[in-house]
Amino acid sequence: QQQVKQSPQSLIVQKGGIPIINCAYENTAFDYFPWYQQFPGKGPALLIAIRPDVSEKKEGRFTISFNKSAKQFSLHIMDSQPGDSATYFCAASGAARQLTFGSGTQLTVLP
Amino acid sequence: DGGITQSPKYLFRKEGQNVTLSCEQNLNHDAMYWYRQDPGQGLRLIYYSQIVNDFQKGDIAEGYSVSREKKESFPLTVTSAQKNPTAFYLCASSIVKVGLAGFRDTQYFGPGTRLTVL
């Protein structure tokens, strides 16, 4: 099964809050898990990515947590800002290199 | 958006017409991809190409066609056989380096083309 399930569909937080977006996968052959950020009318841009040999990766205010046994990974945004308001997509790929995307989470950070 | 350009930004098509969306990259990437994005849905793969003169169908290839005559270019034709073509179309490219962990699969996206059928 190639599906990647993403939740929630939408999320509203106050400035400074820590939104968390979750993804789950079924294919144990997946070995690369990127997160993309997309602003309205623009193409997605790579935000951060993780491989299953580590449980956590931080880049600035963005953190990926990875649970290999549960086949789940999540994105945390520390000290969220209104400029972080965007749609976030998780994805996964394996040896075939084709990315399978989640359905997206529309994040709104209120000032 | 890196070195990937898509044109036009907006495109209007009458029913029964074929239209071609342009995608050009100057990143010297081997692989190129076309995705379709609909509201509330993730990106769905239409076609991809990992080398010049070769391409593969993705999950939703019906009603679309592509060519890869040059490394830099991967145009997508939306044919009249595509029953519901109104969508946001995204082109992407990536390096293909076997065994180079960390770089594999990082796809860089263009700004997209919004196609509307009138």
Side-chain angles (χ1 to χ4, degrees):
Chain A
Q1 180 62 273
Q2 296 289 324
Q3 205 171 16
V4 176
K5 295 183 179 179
Q6 183 172 346
S7 63
Q9 187 174 7
S10 63
L11 188 54
I12 301 174
V13 299
Q14 295 285 343
K15 177 183 174 182
I18 305 176
I20 300 173
I21 304 170
N22 300 298
C23 285
Y25 63 97
E26 298 174 1
N27 187 344
T28 55
F30 285 153
D31 64 355
Y32 175 74
F33 303 90
W35 285 89
Y36 282 83
Q37 179 189 55
Q38 184 181 30
F39 293 104
K42 304 292 185 182
L46 179 67
L47 194 60
I48 185 173
I50 196 168
R51 296 195 178 276
D53 52 345
V54 297
S55 60
E56 185 176 277
K57 183 175 181 180
K58 292 183 180 180
E59 285 188 6
R61 295 183 294 107
F62 300 94
T63 299
I64 300 179
S65 297
F66 186 82
N67 186 330
K68 187 175 181 178
S69 60
K71 293 185 286 185
Q72 295 176 346
F73 57 109
S74 60
L75 177 70
H76 303 232
I77 305 176
M78 305 300 177
D79 187 28
S80 58
Q81 302 296 314
D84 296 329
S85 297
T87 300
Y88 293 81
F89 292 95
C90 63
S93 75
R97 295 192 167 89
Q98 306 317 312
L99 284 174
T100 299
F101 284 86
S103 56
T105 296
Q106 188 170 351
L107 172 66
T108 302
V109 181
L110 300 174
Chain B
D1 300 333
I4 301 176
T5 57
Q6 290 186 242
S7 62
K9 187 174 178 63
Y10 299 97
L11 185 57
F12 298 90
R13 188 194 95 170
K14 293 182 180 179
E15 286 192 17
Q17 284 184 334
N18 292 354
V19 290
T20 297
L21 283 60
S22 170
C23 177
E24 304 276 335
Q25 54 99 1
N26 62 4
L27 300 169
N28 199 33
H29 284 173
D30 300 294
M32 297 187 74
Y33 310 81
W34 273 105
Y35 292 91
R36 171 182 172 138
Q37 185 175 24
D38 295 282
Q41 296 190 36
L43 282 68
R44 293 183 290 168
L45 183 64
I46 304 173
Y47 268 99
Y48 65 98
S49 167
Q50 295 195 341
I51 193 171
V52 173
N53 292 322
D54 186 52
F55 48 82
Q56 307 296 327
K57 292 182 178 180
D59 299 322
I60 56 165
E62 185 176 351
Y64 300 97
S65 66
V66 294
S67 63
R68 187 86 186 277
E69 297 177 0
K70 298 186 298 183
K71 187 175 183 178
E72 316 81 66
S73 178
F74 192 40
L76 173 74
T77 297
V78 184
T79 74
S80 56
Q82 170 51 235
K83 298 305 178 188
N84 185 23
T86 294
F88 189 48
Y89 290 87
L90 288 158
C91 178
S93 70
S94 70
I95 296 171
V96 179
K97 290 188 177 182
V98 177
L100 189 61
F103 289 92
R104 179 165 69 85
D105 305 314
T106 299
Q107 294 186 17
Y108 298 88
F109 285 82
T113 292
R114 187 165 299 280
L115 172 64
T116 303
V117 174
L118 303 173

